[in-house]
């Protein structure tokens, strides 16, 4: 019956992330019924390259389906929707075979190609069409790299796909891309709601290599009985078009109305604000603006490649060789005392700056080391430095006219109360922790529930399926201390920026000398 959730309804959400995948079954009230998780490694074949093996990612997803065993769950599985990391892209041939590893957002190989597009079309024109600041992060510069360095591969390509479309293809359905993910390629004309012939021509990428685009929430089709049996799914499950993990996470956290904000704390970190209209002011702050998973609304996204990656780097330094990497990170945070910010500052640009500074060439730096500095001071500096980058993002979002009074937080980093309190202190806003940290999966369930008319609208579904469990409020004195350190953080970045190219050149010279067998 339309608008009435059924007691036995089950909605599945599959999230294909940068470091792992999750498959979660929810009931119609947003309660988790079952879950499965698998991880996979990033590949770094050479400096600046960060890839995933798409076949390994899908194998991990298949393992999640086997672990979950949805066909054996009590209840009726109605839908499956997919949330996926942005930007990661791969070439696929006419038989559905993946032809190369997928460069992810942190992969910087497309830098020269992004510069070429900016020179050809202008950053303002590209932003006006796509809602994306020009940078190496989006998919299109990565496609251009293949075109230049692997023309044989492009010649064999039938479609360039991101992970959501790959999953649909593996499920036996058309590889349709949602509007939000299409926008993250930097080749989609958001206003015209179609691929930009102008941009793709400048990139020398044929339009017919891009997948069909449709809005999130569309019913794509039903999973065949054969595929369902392979994945331990019941027969007749409908697949609903999901989206980019940031808008999907916002939906799953209930961040859907203008003025609302999301802080996603995962492998990368992002601030997401909701707006009813697109604004060029956001572009002047290097903030992406593109379709939400909720029709008629847009997300403004400011992010950083810093986040869980930086914590993992620190863990590997201080706890190298521990078998359970995630547990060792959580233990590091659990053992840390809550103390005022008095230690070193970390400019957390281990993979370039965040989107607001928009400096992929920037490098990380500790400042303020002394003999009195201990391991706890350095870990607090890591946590603070990651968050100071997002303080710049919040400042930019507000400057662009998006008032954000509070944030809802999701992701693995949200499991640390100490870090959430530190983030509230740094940002100066209340932070609400939602009950379901894996909010992109819950966003999938919400789209599914709406697609089969269990709720009349996403707003109604959010009201019934999303809950918060704890609020962290900024402490005035701590906020003042962090605010002063934020200004020092910005000044340090500006002061060090001219030295980054010199440092890289010296490192490259040393590497070449080593490879050439020269004097040691």
């Amino acid at each position: 019956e339309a608008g009435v959730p059924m007691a036995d309804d089950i909605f599945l959400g599959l999230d294909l992330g940068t470091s792992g995948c999750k498959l979660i079954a929810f009931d119609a009230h947003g309660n988790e019924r079952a879950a499965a998780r698998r991880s996979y490694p990033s590949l770094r074949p050479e400096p600046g390259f960060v890839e995933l093996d798409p076949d390994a990612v899908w194998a991990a997803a298949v393992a999640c389906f086997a672990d979950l065993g949805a066909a054996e769950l009590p209840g009726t599985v109605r839908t499956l929707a997919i949330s996926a990391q942005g930007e990661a892209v791969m070439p696929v041939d006419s038989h559905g075979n993946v032809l190369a590893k997928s460069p992810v957002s942190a992969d910087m190989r497309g830098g020269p190609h992004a510069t070429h597009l900016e020179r050809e079309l202008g950053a303002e024109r590209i932003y006006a069409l796509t809602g994306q600041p020009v940078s190496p992060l989006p998919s299109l510069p990565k496609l251009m790299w293949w075109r230049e360095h692997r023309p044989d591969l492009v010649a064999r390509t039938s479609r360039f796909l991101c992970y959501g479309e790959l999953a649909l293809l593996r499920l036996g359905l058309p590889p349709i891309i949602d509007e939000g993910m299409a926008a993250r390629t930097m080749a989609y004309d958001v206003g015209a709601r179609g691929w930009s012939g102008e941009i793709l021509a400048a990139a020398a990428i044929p339009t017919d290599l891009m997948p069909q685009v449709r809005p999130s929430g569309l019913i794509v089709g039903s999973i065949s009985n054969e595929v369902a049996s392979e994945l331990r799914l019941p027969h007749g499950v409908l697949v609903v078009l999901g989206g980019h993990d940031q808008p999907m996470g916002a939906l799953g956290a209930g961040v859907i109305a203008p003025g609302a904000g999301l802080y996603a704390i995962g492998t990368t970190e992002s601030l997401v604000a909701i707006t009813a209209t697109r604004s060029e002011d956001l572009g002047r702050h290097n903030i992406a603006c593109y379709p939400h998973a909720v029709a008629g609304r847009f997300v403004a996204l400011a992010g950083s490649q810093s986040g869980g990656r930086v914590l993992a780097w620190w863990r590997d330094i201080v706890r190298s060789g521990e078998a359970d990497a995630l547990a060792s990170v959580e233990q590091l945070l659990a053992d840390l005392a809550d103390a005022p910010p008095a230690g070193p500052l970390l400019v957390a640009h281990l993979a370039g700056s965040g989107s607001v500074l928009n400096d992929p060439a920037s490098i990380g730096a500790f400042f303020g080391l002394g003999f009195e500095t201990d391991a706890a001071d350095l870990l607090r500096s890591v946590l603070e430095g990651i968050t100071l980058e997002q303080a710049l993002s919040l400042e930019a979002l507000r400057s662009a006219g998006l008032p954000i009074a509070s944030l809802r937080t999701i992701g693995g980093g949200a499991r640390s109360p100490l870090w959430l309190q530190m983030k509230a202190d740094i940002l100066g806003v209340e932070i609400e922790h939602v009950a379901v940290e894996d909010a992109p999966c819950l966003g999938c369930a919400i789209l599914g529930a709406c697609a089969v008319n269990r709720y009349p609208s996403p707003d109604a579904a959010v009201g019934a399926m999303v809950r918060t469990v704890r609020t962290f409020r900024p402490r005035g004195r701590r906020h003042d201390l962090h605010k002063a350190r934020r200004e020092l953080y910005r000044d340090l970045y500006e002061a060090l920026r001219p030295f980054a190219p010199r440092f890289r050149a010296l490192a490259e010279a040393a590497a070449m000398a080593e490879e050439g067998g020269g004097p040691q």
Side-chain angles (χ1 to χ4, degrees):
E1 184 179 350
V4 179
M6 309 294 285
D8 69 341
D9 282 339
I10 295 175
F11 305 99
L12 300 179
L14 173 64
D15 180 36
L16 301 174
T18 308
S19 56
C21 60
K22 311 172 189 83
L23 177 65
I24 304 181
F26 296 95
D27 66 20
H29 300 288
N31 300 305
E32 184 179 307
R33 297 283 295 275
R37 295 170 175 82
R38 293 291 177 114
S39 61
Y40 31 78
S42 295
L43 309 173
R44 297 178 181 270
E46 55 185 277
F49 286 42
V50 188
E51 302 175 335
L52 288 174
D53 180 343
D55 291 326
V57 171
W58 183 246
V62 170
C64 283
F65 280 106
D67 293 344
L68 191 77
E72 289 82 51
L73 291 176
T76 304
V77 179
R78 306 290 181 184
T79 64
L80 165 69
I82 300 152
S83 162
Q85 59 180 301
E87 297 86 58
V89 66
M90 70 211 73
V92 176
D93 69 15
S94 58
H95 301 290
N97 301 308
V98 175
L99 301 177
K101 304 290 193 297
S102 61
V104 301
S105 58
D107 188 291
M108 294 291 112
R109 75 183 71 182
H113 305 290
T115 300
H116 168 81
L117 289 172
E118 183 173 7
R119 189 168 53 247
E120 289 291 308
L121 300 174
E124 290 184 3
R125 176 62 176 166
I126 293 171
Y127 189 87
L129 291 170
T130 69
Q132 307 300 314
V134 178
S135 88
L137 270 69
S139 312
L140 186 59
K142 299 166 174 42
L143 306 189
M144 295 169 70
W145 185 93
W146 274 323
R147 185 208 68 213
E148 178 177 337
H149 296 275
R150 292 293 311 277
D152 59 313
L153 182 149
V154 175
R156 293 157 50 210
T157 297
S158 174
R159 286 286 188 276
F160 287 113
L161 303 180
C162 297
Y163 273 97
E165 304 88 87
L166 177 69
L168 291 177
L169 191 64
R170 293 289 181 261
L171 291 170
L173 295 167
I176 298 171
I177 191 171
D178 67 280
E179 290 185 294
M181 188 70 81
R184 293 302 290 173
T185 67
M186 206 173 74
Y188 182 69
D189 186 334
V190 174
R193 301 185 73 174
W195 294 112
S196 171
E198 179 182 354
I199 292 177
L200 287 170
I205 299 295
T207 305
D208 61 8
L209 295 185
M210 308 303 286
Q212 186 180 28
V213 187
R214 290 291 183 269
S216 297
L218 172 82
I219 295 177
V220 179
S222 178
I223 298 174
S224 71
N225 291 349
E226 180 182 1
V227 172
S229 297
E230 291 173 0
L231 298 178
R232 293 184 65 191
L233 288 168
H235 294 175
V237 175
L238 296 174
V239 177
V240 176
L241 190 61
H244 180 212
D245 57 6
Q246 301 294 351
M248 293 297 290
L251 174 59
V255 178
I256 58 174
L262 174 76
Y263 193 166
I265 312 169
T267 304
T268 62
E269 283 205 350
S270 300
L271 290 187
V272 177
I274 309 304
T275 175
T277 58
R278 299 169 64 202
S279 166
E280 292 186 6
D281 286 340
L282 292 166
R284 284 189 276 272
H285 292 279
N286 299 309
I287 296 171
C289 184
Y290 57 100
H292 199 343
V294 178
R297 301 170 201 179
F298 298 88
V299 295
L301 172 66
S304 168
Q305 295 302 315
S306 301
R309 282 193 180 100
V310 182
L311 267 180
W313 162 78
W314 181 249
R315 174 209 65 217
D316 289 345
I317 290 173
V318 298
R319 292 193 170 183
S320 177
E322 291 197 8
D324 192 336
L326 177 60
S328 63
V329 167
E330 293 181 349
Q331 191 60 54
L332 280 172
L333 298 182
D335 293 342
L336 188 64
D338 182 10
L345 270 173
L346 171 64
V347 178
H349 293 174
L350 277 69
S353 78
S355 55
V356 169
L357 294 177
N358 196 26
D359 185 358
S362 184
I363 55 179
F366 274 113
F367 179 78
L369 297 174
F371 286 120
E372 71 281 3
T373 304
D374 62 20
D377 293 327
L378 290 172
L379 178 54
R380 274 189 288 269
S381 297
V382 169
L383 299 176
E384 182 192 31
I386 293 169
T387 309
L388 287 173
E389 193 76 11
Q390 298 314 319
L392 301 182
S393 298
L394 181 60
E395 182 180 57
L397 285 164
R398 287 172 166 169
S399 296
L402 296 181
I404 299 174
S406 65
L407 294 165
R408 288 190 173 182
T409 185
I410 63 172
R415 299 189 187 104
S416 169
L418 180 142
W419 201 13
L420 291 184
Q421 182 59 60
M422 180 187 287
K423 288 178 180 295
D425 293 339
I426 292 170
L427 299 175
V429 298
E430 290 188 354
I431 291 182
E432 297 179 299
H433 188 193
V434 296
V436 177
E437 292 167 1
D438 295 312
C441 291
L442 182 54
C444 291
I446 290 170
L447 287 181
C450 292
V452 295
N453 297 317
R454 292 299 185 260
Y455 292 101
S457 68
D459 301 79
V462 162
M465 298 176 75
V466 179
R467 293 175 294 282
T468 60
V469 292
R470 186 174 177 183
T471 300
F472 297 84
R473 295 176 173 84
R475 297 171 290 189
R477 177 58 179 156
R478 291 283 180 93
H479 175 61
D480 292 341
L481 291 170
H482 284 296
K483 184 177 181 181
R485 288 168 66 89
R486 182 188 71 196
E487 296 309 311
L488 179 57
Y489 178 91
R490 194 197 319 261
D491 291 344
L492 277 171
Y493 160 72
E494 292 293 348
L496 293 171
R497 185 157 57 111
F499 297 104
R502 290 171 58 187
F503 183 89
R504 290 184 188 279
L506 289 170
E508 289 170 6
M512 290 176 64
E514 183 72 19
E515 291 171 4
Q520 300 299 306

